[in-house]
Amino acid sequence: MLHEHDPQWSVSAMADALQSADAVIAMTDYEIERLVEAYHVPREKIFLGSAGIDPDESIHWDARPRRVVFLGRKTRSKGIDLLIDAMRLVWQEIPDAELYLAGIRVPETKAIDDQVAALPVSWRRQVWDLDQVSDEQKILLLRSAYCVVLPSRTESFGMVLLDAWAHGTPVVVWDFPVFRGIVAAGIDGVLADPARPTSLAEAILQLLRAPTVAEQMGRTGHAKVKCGYSWESVATRYLQAYEYAIRHCPVVGTSS
C-alpha cells in the first residue's frame, strides 16, 4: 500500500527498496500506475492482488432504515467531520435519517464528540456512536445500512468498501483516483466531487431518495466482491506473483 499522504513517506527510499523486488503486488489499478511512473517498477513485475473477503450469501433489503454508516478509526483524517457536516444538509430534507459512527476511539475523537454535541437536539438524536464493535455487531450494522460512507481523503484502498458490498450495501466515497479504480460510479456506489463540499450530502441523498437504485447498487457491489474479491480469485493473483518471482529471481548460490 502506497501511503503517500504520510509525511514520513519517502518516494526515493521506497523506489530503492522496490528495485530489489522480483515481483510487486499492488492493491489497485491506480497504485499500479503510481508504481510505474513514480517508483520506476517495470509493469511486468506488478500484479493486482487486492484484498479478499467472504461475501454474505443472503442479502435482505426489506425494511432497511435510512441509515448512513461510517466504519473505521475515529480520526479527523478519516473525514468524519466532513460526514457530519454533510448530514446537516441531509437532515434538512430527511429528518429521520440515521447516522451510525462505529470504530476505535483515539485521543482526537474528542473533537468529533464535540462536533456531534453541537448539533441541534433533533439531529443529535439521530446519531449513534458505537465506538469499537464486535464482528457480529459489524455484520448486523452493514446488513441494515442504506449506504456506507468513507469520507477519507487519504486512503490507499479502503477495506470497508468490500465490507459494505459483501452485505449488499452501496458506498459513497470522494472522486479520487484510488477510489475511481474500485467504485464504479452510479453502478455500485456514488463518487462525490471533492471540489464541492456539498456534493457529499448530495451523494448520500441520491441513495436515500431512491431505495430501488440503492438496492440495485448494493446487489451489483455484492456480485463484484463474489467475482473479483473472493479469496479464491485473490489467492490466484498472489500465486501468479509468487510464480513470476520464482521464475525471474536470480540464482544466488547452490548447496552441495
Side-chain angles (χ1 to χ4, degrees):
M1 289 188 179
L2 297 179
H3 292 280
E4 295 180 308
H5 54 275
D6 188 327
Q8 302 301 317
W9 186 269
S10 170
V11 172
S12 60
M14 184 59 67
D16 289 343
L18 287 167
Q19 297 310 308
S20 66
D22 297 303
V24 178
I25 297 173
M27 296 296 289
T28 63
D29 289 328
Y30 169 71
E31 199 167 73
I32 290 176
E33 295 305 317
R34 286 293 298 160
L35 286 168
V36 172
E37 294 171 5
Y39 299 86
H40 311 297
V41 179
R43 188 177 294 271
E44 63 271 16
K45 280 189 176 184
I46 307 173
F47 295 81
L48 181 63
S50 198
I53 196 166
D54 294 315
D56 193 341
E57 290 304 320
S58 59
I59 304 173
H60 301 286
W61 258 86
D62 297 339
R64 281 199 185 193
R66 288 193 282 195
R67 179 173 297 167
V68 178
V69 171
F70 168 87
L71 192 63
R73 285 183 301 109
K74 292 180 178 175
T75 64
R76 291 184 66 85
S77 66
K78 289 290 185 179
I80 303 176
D81 56 327
L82 302 175
L83 174 55
I84 295 172
D85 285 343
M87 289 303 296
R88 285 177 169 270
L89 299 177
V90 171
W91 283 317
Q92 290 179 24
E93 181 173 329
I94 306 177
D96 64 342
E98 301 173 352
L99 174 62
Y100 275 69
L101 303 175
I104 297 173
R105 292 181 64 85
V106 296
E108 63 184 273
T109 306
K110 176 63 168 55
I112 298 168
D113 295 340
D114 293 341
Q115 189 178 2
V116 172
L119 293 171
V121 174
S122 60
W123 293 350
R124 193 165 65 241
R125 288 172 178 163
Q126 298 303 109
V127 181
W128 278 261
D129 194 342
L130 302 182
D131 291 339
Q132 188 172 4
V133 294
S134 66
D135 288 341
E136 293 76 14
Q137 290 172 314
K138 176 181 171 182
I139 290 172
L140 291 174
L141 192 57
L142 292 171
R143 282 178 176 174
S144 67
Y146 232 78
C147 64
V148 168
V149 182
L150 178 56
S152 172
R153 292 173 177 264
T154 58
E155 292 293 326
S156 297
F157 182 71
M159 186 65 194
V160 70
L161 304 179
L162 303 191
D163 287 329
W165 287 332
H167 299 285
T169 303
V171 299
V172 174
V173 294
W174 293 112
D175 187 6
F176 291 134
V178 65
F179 293 135
R180 213 175 294 140
I182 302 171
V183 179
I187 305 299
D188 48 41
V190 184
L191 299 178
D193 182 358
R196 294 191 306 107
T198 59
S199 69
L200 188 62
E202 293 165 4
I204 295 169
L205 284 168
Q206 180 179 333
L207 294 173
L208 295 183
R209 291 174 183 145
T212 302
V213 173
E215 178 179 0
Q216 183 56 52
M217 285 189 186
R219 292 188 181 278
T220 303
H222 185 263
K224 175 185 280 189
V225 295
K226 286 189 69 174
C227 177
Y229 294 96
S230 68
W231 283 110
E232 181 179 0
S233 63
V234 169
T236 297
R237 296 196 293 271
Y238 273 71
L239 184 59
Q240 290 170 347
Y242 297 155
E243 290 172 341
Y244 179 93
I246 291 169
R247 290 196 307 270
H248 293 84
C249 69
V251 177
V252 296
T254 58
S255 58
S256 58

